[in-house]
Amino acid sequence: MKAAILGATGYTGMILSRLLSNHKDIDLILPVSSSRAGKAIAEFDNGFVEPEKLLRPEYLSLNEMASENPEVIFACLPHLASAEICAPFVGKSVVIDLSADFRISDAELFESAYGVKMPSAPAKPVYGLPEFYADAVKTADLIANPGCYPTATMLPLLPLLKAGVTAGPAIVNAISGISGAGRKAVDNNLFCERSENAGAYNPGRTHRHWSEMTDQARQNGSETMIYFTPHLAPLRRGMSVSTTIDTAGIDAAAVAEIYSKTFADTPFVRILDKRLPQTREVCGSNRCDISFRMDGSRLFLFSCIDNLVKGASGQAVQNMNIRFGFNETEGLELSGLV
């Protein structure tokens, strides 16, 4: 099968190249870059060496990619640009979009997050959080890959919201590695700015991913208010999320039972019992580790993912596997690097 990567020079595209190169059902990888078409891949990504799975060792233009008629297109493009570029390919190829353009169903929430009207979708988008929407992913022509913060936050929280066993607002604090901001030259991401330096940004309801989380809560019948505060830490990759919420009269055994039923057949979620998750244990894997603790009626949820894998490229490959009937774990790591 042929797989194209639009925006192949960013972190997401680079990780996708590596994951697809180890995927037994992918025969040809088509890396696309509008700014670097015709230039050698090794000039910008000398760590990727898979000549047998490349059409040629240079980045392709959009037109060159289109002429190859790939079965799947991964769009690793900037928010608000992806929808227009992807539109002509939807229906001809399965499009897995890693931008925010198709993630939110509520037009007002989208506009509040991105400051513009929500792009029109060329097909009905399916929100690609496989642990909850695998059946819809199986027939989708357009899959909206979730953001990294919503993935790590909603995996432990959404089962409880769906079950209606929580009360009051959800207070979410998250820590992300610097790669979550993408591969671009920004002063705040420089080594001298981030080393030995951690802090919060866009707190409460001001981060763009708040709208995505709120939309998912509402889509699953919950009006729970989410207050979300992300923090940037001096890590290359990794994401740790801690959520506090009151319960509606349930105990720890009931929470454990909800998680057991929700994640019984999901290969990439691991529920920890006696310890809390850590980013280093999921680094390089497509796994989300989840744990919880209770203090009276107060419930504490903990989760960790690799923001570049389960939070982006790995989850996109997981969605591809489900959509095309491949083994869901093909090309993806269950174990962390350390």
Side-chain angles (χ1 to χ4, degrees):
M1 193 173 85
K2 297 178 183 178
I5 304 171
L6 310 187
T9 59
Y11 283 139
T12 302
M14 292 167 67
I15 297 293
L16 264 170
S17 298
R18 287 149 175 77
L19 295 177
L20 295 175
S21 70
N22 292 315
H23 196 295
K24 72 178 181 63
D25 298 296
I26 298 300
D27 303 307
L28 191 64
I29 302 171
L30 306 170
V32 179
S33 173
S34 59
S35 62
R36 294 171 179 169
K39 295 184 178 180
I41 295 171
E43 185 179 343
F44 301 96
D45 185 8
N46 201 33
F48 176 60
V49 186
E50 286 293 335
E52 65 274 12
K53 284 198 175 185
L54 293 174
L55 182 67
R56 61 173 190 262
E58 294 87 31
Y59 292 108
L60 306 180
S61 69
L62 199 62
N63 289 336
E64 289 171 327
M65 178 277 291
S67 70
E68 291 295 321
N69 298 310
E71 287 88 346
V72 62
I73 295 174
F74 295 94
C76 310
L77 300 169
H79 306 315
L80 310 179
S82 192
E84 181 179 354
I85 294 172
C86 288
F89 301 107
V90 176
K92 300 175 183 177
S93 305
V94 172
V95 173
I96 301 176
D97 182 45
L98 288 91
S99 82
D101 288 11
F102 303 115
R103 292 175 184 163
I104 300 173
S105 65
D106 186 299
E108 289 186 9
L109 279 175
F110 186 94
E111 188 168 349
S112 71
Y114 295 94
V116 298
K117 290 185 178 180
M118 188 167 69
S120 58
K124 181 175 175 56
V126 169
Y127 190 72
L129 192 58
E131 287 73 18
F132 296 98
Y133 302 110
D135 286 344
V137 168
K138 289 177 182 177
T139 58
D141 289 328
L142 177 59
I143 300 168
N145 215 61
C148 49
Y149 280 130
T151 294
T153 301
M154 300 312 287
L155 279 173
L157 180 60
L158 197 53
L160 306 175
L161 299 186
K162 286 168 66 72
V165 297
T166 63
I171 311 300
V172 183
N173 286 283
I175 298 171
S176 177
I178 301 165
S179 58
R183 190 188 187 196
K184 55 184 180 288
V186 178
D187 287 350
N188 196 45
N189 294 347
L190 296 175
F191 176 81
C192 288
E193 299 295 328
R194 293 266 48 95
S195 180
E196 304 298 325
N197 182 25
Y201 65 102
N202 295 341
R205 294 181 291 171
T206 60
H207 192 279
R208 294 181 302 187
H209 282 172
W210 173 85
S211 294
E212 186 178 335
M213 297 177 204
T214 297
D215 187 61
Q216 276 302 299
R218 292 177 181 174
Q219 288 290 305
N220 285 276
S222 175
E223 292 297 324
T224 297
M225 178 59 72
I226 297 172
Y227 294 100
F228 171 70
T229 302
H231 299 71
L232 193 58
L235 308 169
R236 283 188 62 238
R237 58 202 291 179
M239 181 167 286
S240 177
V241 176
S242 300
T243 299
T244 305
I245 193 166
D246 283 332
T247 63
I250 63 168
D251 59 14
V255 175
E257 179 66 15
I258 290 170
Y259 282 158
S260 178
K261 289 181 178 179
T262 301
F263 300 118
D265 300 316
T266 57
F268 293 112
V269 173
R270 183 173 69 163
I271 306 299
L272 306 180
D273 182 18
K274 297 182 179 180
R275 58 192 183 79
L276 304 182
Q278 299 185 65
T279 58
R280 71 178 180 87
E281 294 172 352
V282 298
C283 183
S285 80
N286 196 55
R287 206 176 68 240
C288 178
D289 281 359
I290 294 172
S291 185
F292 72 91
R293 297 290 185 271
M294 292 194 72
D295 185 350
S297 64
R298 185 62 59 90
L299 181 61
F300 301 89
L301 310 177
F302 307 95
S303 57
C304 283
I305 63 171
D306 185 324
N307 57 291
L308 294 177
V309 187
K310 182 59 175 169
S313 302
Q315 187 147 255
V317 172
Q318 185 183 356
N319 278 313
M320 178 192 72
N321 288 342
I322 293 170
R323 173 61 177 81
F324 287 94
F326 304 145
N327 187 319
E328 188 172 347
T329 63
E330 178 59 40
L332 299 168
E333 293 293 338
L334 286 166
S335 298
L337 295 175
V338 292

